[in-house]
């Protein structure tokens, strides 16, 4: 158990809908990262927050947004969902922002868009 | 061309075999190299971390980085059925970018 929690574990929804994925980092970790994992693209970095502020952006679509709250939990909002958004979404956390800080991954949320 | 290339496998080996997993990359700015293990329906977990070139050993696992060839390897000695998982390489450039670039993962099956 990495100490990172994600809810829900599974989500099934329809095209055009909006969903929110939630992540609680390990105690003491200030950085939260979001990743999307699909069979053909592998694990893709979406966005990083550090202590409430956005620090880095990857291949995140404009339909997706995220935020980190004062209690350090983070939410990833996915809107106008398309079939291609079906994937595993992982949250990871680390102590700081340096590359040498190990990222601990949560168990993921499996999103299915029908 | 992807920044990080990794053979997806699957790779099947008998128990006790030495396993070699590899990644190639194109970005010469990468300085930090990681190997993650991901069991089915679980999140990735860090196995090995290496900075710049060289070798690093941890128990049955050895990570090698050859920056001149832009090639990294993970060796698993005396492989066990419990090593059956997907192995992901990840890389990051020097401080300031904060993001990992992952390979697509190699699925490994160790047969008892």
């Amino acid at each position: 158990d990495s100490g990172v929690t994600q809810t829900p574990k599974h989500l099934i929804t329809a095209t055009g809908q909006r969903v929110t994925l939630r992540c609680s980092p390990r105690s003491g970790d200030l950085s939260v990262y979001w990743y999307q994992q699909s069979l053909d693209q592998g694990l893709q970095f979406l966005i990083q927050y550090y202590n409430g502020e956005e620090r880095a952006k990857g291949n995140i679509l404009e339909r997706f947004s995220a935020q980190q709250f004062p209690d350090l939990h983070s939410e990833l909002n996915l809107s106008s969902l398309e079939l291609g958004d079906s994937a595993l979404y992982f949250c990871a956390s680390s102590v700081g922002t340096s590359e040498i800080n190990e990222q601990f991954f949560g168990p993921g949320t499996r999103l299915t868009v029908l | 061309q992807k920044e990080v290339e990794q053979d997806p496998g699957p790779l099947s080996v008998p128990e006790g075999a030495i396993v070699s997993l590899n990644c190639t990359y194109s970005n010469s700015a990468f300085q930090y190299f990681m190997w993650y293990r991901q069991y089915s329906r679980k999140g990735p977990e860090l196995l090995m971390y290496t900075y710049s070139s060289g070798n690093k050993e941890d128990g049955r696992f050895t990570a090698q980085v050859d920056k001149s060839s832009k090639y990294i390897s993970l060796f698993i000695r005396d492989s066990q059925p419990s090593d059956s998982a997907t192995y992901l390489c990840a890389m990051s450039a020097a401080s300031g970018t904060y993001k990992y670039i992952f390979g697509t993962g190699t699925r490994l099956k160790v047969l008892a």
Side-chain angles (χ1 to χ4, degrees):
Chain A
D1 185 357
S2 67
V4 178
T5 60
Q6 288 186 250
T7 57
K9 283 188 178 177
H10 304 278
L11 203 46
I12 301 175
T13 189
T15 55
Q17 295 298 304
R18 173 190 168 96
V19 296
T20 297
L21 313 184
R22 183 187 168 104
C23 168
S24 292
R26 291 186 325 151
S27 176
D29 284 359
L30 299 179
S31 269
V32 169
Y33 310 78
W34 285 99
Y35 291 87
Q36 179 191 60
Q37 187 175 42
S38 58
L39 279 174
D40 56 341
Q41 292 292 322
L43 202 59
Q44 300 278 310
F45 168 75
L46 295 178
I47 198 164
Q48 181 209 1
Y49 280 82
Y50 175 75
N51 205 20
E53 291 187 6
E54 182 185 305
R55 272 302 180 97
K57 253 186 177 177
N59 302 321
I60 188 166
L61 300 171
E62 285 196 14
R63 301 183 285 109
F64 296 0
S65 64
Q67 56 185 131
Q68 186 179 27
F69 294 88
D71 67 353
L72 300 177
H73 91 271
S74 179
E75 292 180 357
L76 178 68
N77 300 296
L78 315 176
S79 61
S80 302
L81 285 168
E82 301 174 1
L83 295 177
D85 297 328
S86 296
L88 268 169
Y89 290 84
F90 286 104
C91 165
S93 74
S94 68
V95 170
T97 60
S98 167
E99 285 80 4
I100 65 173
N101 294 138
E102 178 181 350
Q103 293 185 25
F104 293 86
F105 282 77
T109 292
R110 183 174 294 276
L111 174 66
T112 302
V113 182
L114 302 174
Chain B
Q1 184 191 3
K2 290 182 179 178
E3 276 189 287
V4 179
E5 299 276 1
Q6 186 175 8
D7 187 333
L11 180 62
S12 291
V13 300
E15 183 176 356
I18 296 175
V19 176
S20 171
L21 304 166
N22 312 294
C23 286
T24 58
Y25 63 95
S26 57
N27 188 346
S28 57
F30 287 145
Q31 297 276 1
Y32 301 89
F33 303 92
M34 283 74 61
W35 285 97
Y36 278 80
R37 178 176 61 196
Q38 186 176 18
Y39 290 113
S40 181
R41 301 186 181 278
K42 300 282 188 183
E45 56 178 334
L46 183 67
L47 267 182
M48 302 284 286
Y49 161 84
T50 311
Y51 171 69
S52 195
S53 282
N55 293 359
K56 188 172 184 179
E57 191 173 317
D58 184 2
R60 296 184 296 113
F61 299 90
T62 300
Q64 284 185 354
V65 175
D66 181 349
K67 290 188 69 181
S68 62
S69 302
K70 296 191 179 71
Y71 188 87
I72 70 170
S73 301
L74 177 71
F75 297 95
I76 307 174
R77 290 184 299 281
D78 188 25
S79 56
Q80 303 294 310
S82 58
D83 295 326
S84 298
T86 296
Y87 290 79
L88 302 152
C89 63
M91 309 180 188
S92 181
S95 188
T97 61
Y98 308 117
K99 55 185 184 184
Y100 290 2
I101 307 298
F102 280 82
T104 49
T106 299
R107 207 150 41 97
L108 171 68
K109 188 164 187 177
V110 181
L111 306 169

